[in-house]
Each structure stands twice: as C-alpha cells, then as structure tokens.
Amino acid sequence: STGGGAPGYQIAYGVVVETAEPHGYPVDEMLLMDFSTDHLEGDADLVGGIDGHVPTFVYVFPYDEKRMFVQETLLCARNHRAKAKSINMEEMIRRVNKRLEHMKLTVLKRYDEEYSVIPMGGPLPVLGQPTVAYGAAAVMVHPASGYMINRAIKFAPEVADALMDTLRATDSPLLAAEAAWEAIWPKHRLIERDLYCFGMEVLLDLDVKLLRDFFSAFFADPKEEMWRKFLAWDMTRPGEKPYTMAGFMILQFLRGSIPLKARLVREAMFKDGLHLLKSIFEMPFPFD
C-alpha cells in the first residue's frame, strides 16, 4: 500500500522566548503553519534563494504579550530525493532567529528549547504479532502533518477495551494481541492512511509557492470542520468508506491554483494514484 516505502522526516526547532517589546501576536490565538518568507528576503546565506530554498513554516503560541513559543518546522523531506532536500537543525535555529530579527524583537531570555525529528509514513509494523505496539512504535504519526498525541489519547480506551474484553472471553494473550492490533489499525484507518501517505508524497516535492497555494485551499473551509478532522485523523467512522476524506481532497483540488492542479494531476498519475482508487473503492487491479 502507499506509504510502505521509506518514511519522510519532519524536522523542527522550537524555543520559548521572552522579549523586551510586545511581540504583537494575539494572546488568545495561535499561529498555525505560516509559510511567509519576508524575513528571508535578501538572505545571502539562504541556499536556493527565496524561490528555490527548502520551505519551512512557523508555529507561534503566545503565553502573554512578551512571551511566546516559536517553532520553525520543515513539514516533510527525504534527503535522497532531488527536490525534497532536508536541512540541518542549525539552519532551523537560524531561521527562527531571522524571524525574530525581522520582527525587530529584543530577546531577553530563551528557555525550553525543543529539537525534534519525526518519521512520517513508512512501513507499518507486522499487524497481529504477539507484541503490541502503541503510539509512534505502532506508526500512529499522521503521515501528512506529523501530529500524533491526539490520536494516541483518543484511541487508547478502544485498545484497552479490546485487550480486556478478549482476555476475559478467551484467556488468550495471543488473541488479545490480535484484537489490540485490530483496534489500532482497523480497515478504515488503513485506507485513510493510504490517502494520508499519498498526501505526504505530494507535499515532499512542493516548492514554497505551491505549498502556499495548497494550504490556502486547505484552510479555506469556512466552518473549519473538514481540515480540523483531517489533521486529527478523524474523518471516517468505523465501518465507513473514506468518501468524506476523498471528497475533501477533491475539494482541495478544485480550490487550488492552476499550477497546483497541474502538479496534483501529475502526482496522482505517477505516485500510486491507482492504488488510491483501489483503497477507496476496493477495486481489484490486474497487477496486484
């Protein structure tokens, strides 16, 4: 299935800063996925230049008017792909500093630094094996966003119930392990994962202009319901087909710019597009 090959990696550096001046962000809001590049204009050290550099975005979580958590994030990359080069942590730190300098903020204190490298996509563990994994060990990281904590918390009761009910009914640890794996990766989540992994493969190769187009379309839902469910991996109920998710992806396509549409068509043709159809509609193909 899609995503069974090499994983991508999300790289991030975050830090809480205390500034002499008010930072200017609303303290009752968070900034999500800001791909702006004003702070990189004229940057002689920027590999690839303003149009060809490896794109990163920033999260900002204000605590008060002069304290905020700032995190620079490379959404997903693989070093061995020509158009999906990664960058090192030092560059992530440099870009955070460039953002703060561009805002003309005087940093008085830095604390609670965070360095993270998160595998995304890649092969699943052997489902049904006697050893039950959970969280990152069960590859529960969202392949298109890098999020996981919400899923690990939300699905924990389901997995615990599966273990408990099966042990009570059969007194068999092996059957209990199989039930736990089924609770972690039921069929509808495996199908969704194919779609998410395809999304990851698309995002790997987009330059900063196409990424902006993509996320402008992504966050265009006026009710915010669809993209919230997409990021939370919560678009399909047990036993359902992932038609809602497929519909959201089609809506993404219709909202996108002409260059983005052309890229998405190309990616669908050359990156497991047929396997996506198989996953969604359970259609057999002669090469399976």
Side-chain angles (χ1 to χ4, degrees), residues 11 16 25 55 60 62 65-66 77 104 154-155 194 245 254 259 266:
I11 301 171
V16 177
Y25 291 104
V60 178
E65 292 183 350
K66 295 184 178 181
K104 295 181 170 52
K154 180 176 181 179
F155 298 142
D194 278 354
M245 184 174 174
L254 295 175
R266 191 189 79 178

Side-chain angles (χ1 to χ4, degrees), residues 42-54:
D43 184 357
D45 296 323
L46 185 65
V47 177
I50 197 67
D51 293 323
H53 70 285
V54 176

Side-chain angles (χ1 to χ4, degrees), residues 4-265:
Y9 290 90
Q10 183 173 111
I11 301 171
Y13 167 76
V15 61
V16 177
V17 296
E18 184 176 328
T19 60
E21 310 85 359
H23 50 65
Y25 291 104
V27 296
D28 59 345
E29 298 178 5
M30 65 162 285
L31 182 66
L32 181 68
M33 294 186 179
D34 177 7
F35 278 96
S36 62
T37 55
D38 295 351
H39 60 295
L40 298 176
E41 294 285 349
D43 184 357
D45 296 323
L46 185 65
V47 177
I50 197 67
D51 293 323
H53 70 285
V54 176
T56 57
F57 63 84
V58 69
Y59 289 118
V60 178
F61 303 84
Y63 293 108
D64 54 42
E65 292 183 350
K66 295 184 178 181
R67 280 191 315 140
M68 59 180 173
F69 176 72
V70 184
Q71 184 184 74
E72 195 77 18
T73 302
L74 170 57
L75 182 59
C76 192
R78 285 197 194 108
N79 272 335
H80 69 268
R81 294 180 58 169
K83 293 184 179 179
K85 293 290 186 183
S86 183
I87 52 180
N88 58 33
M89 194 63 71
E90 288 74 16
E91 174 64 9
M92 304 298 288
I93 296 171
R94 192 184 77 87
R95 293 192 187 185
V96 167
N97 292 336
K98 292 288 291 184
R99 287 188 188 273
L100 295 172
E101 291 170 9
H102 182 72
M103 296 173 66
K104 295 181 170 52
L105 294 175
T106 304
V107 177
L108 301 177
K109 186 177 180 181
R110 295 170 178 257
Y111 46 98
D112 294 338
E113 287 184 297
E114 174 188 278
Y115 304 84
S116 66
V117 178
I118 302 171
M120 297 164 63
L124 289 169
V126 177
L127 305 183
Q129 64 175 295
T131 301
V132 178
Y134 198 70
V139 197
M140 293 175 66
V141 175
H142 195 306
S145 71
Y147 299 159
M148 185 194 72
I149 297 300
N150 65 309
R151 295 187 67 227
I153 294 172
K154 180 176 181 179
F155 298 142
E158 296 180 18
V159 179
D161 287 344
L163 284 167
M164 180 181 64
D165 292 345
T166 307
L167 283 172
R168 285 176 174 173
T170 68
D171 198 29
S172 169
L174 290 177
L175 292 177
E178 290 180 5
W181 280 113
E182 175 63 25
I184 297 169
W185 285 113
K187 185 174 184 178
H188 72 280
R189 287 184 196 145
L190 291 172
I191 295 173
E192 283 184 322
R193 186 176 188 271
D194 278 354
L195 290 165
Y196 285 128
C197 285
F198 173 75
M200 180 195 78
E201 295 292 333
V202 171
L203 293 171
L204 276 168
D205 279 349
L206 298 186
D207 60 26
V208 67
K209 291 181 180 179
L210 288 177
L211 277 171
R212 287 174 182 158
D213 287 349
F214 180 89
F215 283 105
S216 292
F218 183 84
F219 290 116
D221 179 16
K223 295 183 179 180
E224 301 182 353
E225 294 176 359
M226 300 286 278
W227 64 260
R228 287 176 183 270
K229 289 182 178 180
F230 184 96
L231 293 177
W233 201 321
D234 191 30
M235 300 195 82
T236 307
R237 303 266 69 83
E240 293 181 350
K241 302 284 187 181
Y243 295 149
T244 301
M245 184 174 174
F248 178 62
M249 296 179 79
I250 292 171
L251 188 60
Q252 282 282 98
F253 176 83
L254 295 175
R255 287 172 171 165
S257 65
I258 292 176
L260 180 61
K261 286 185 174 75
R263 176 61 68 86
L264 293 176
V265 169

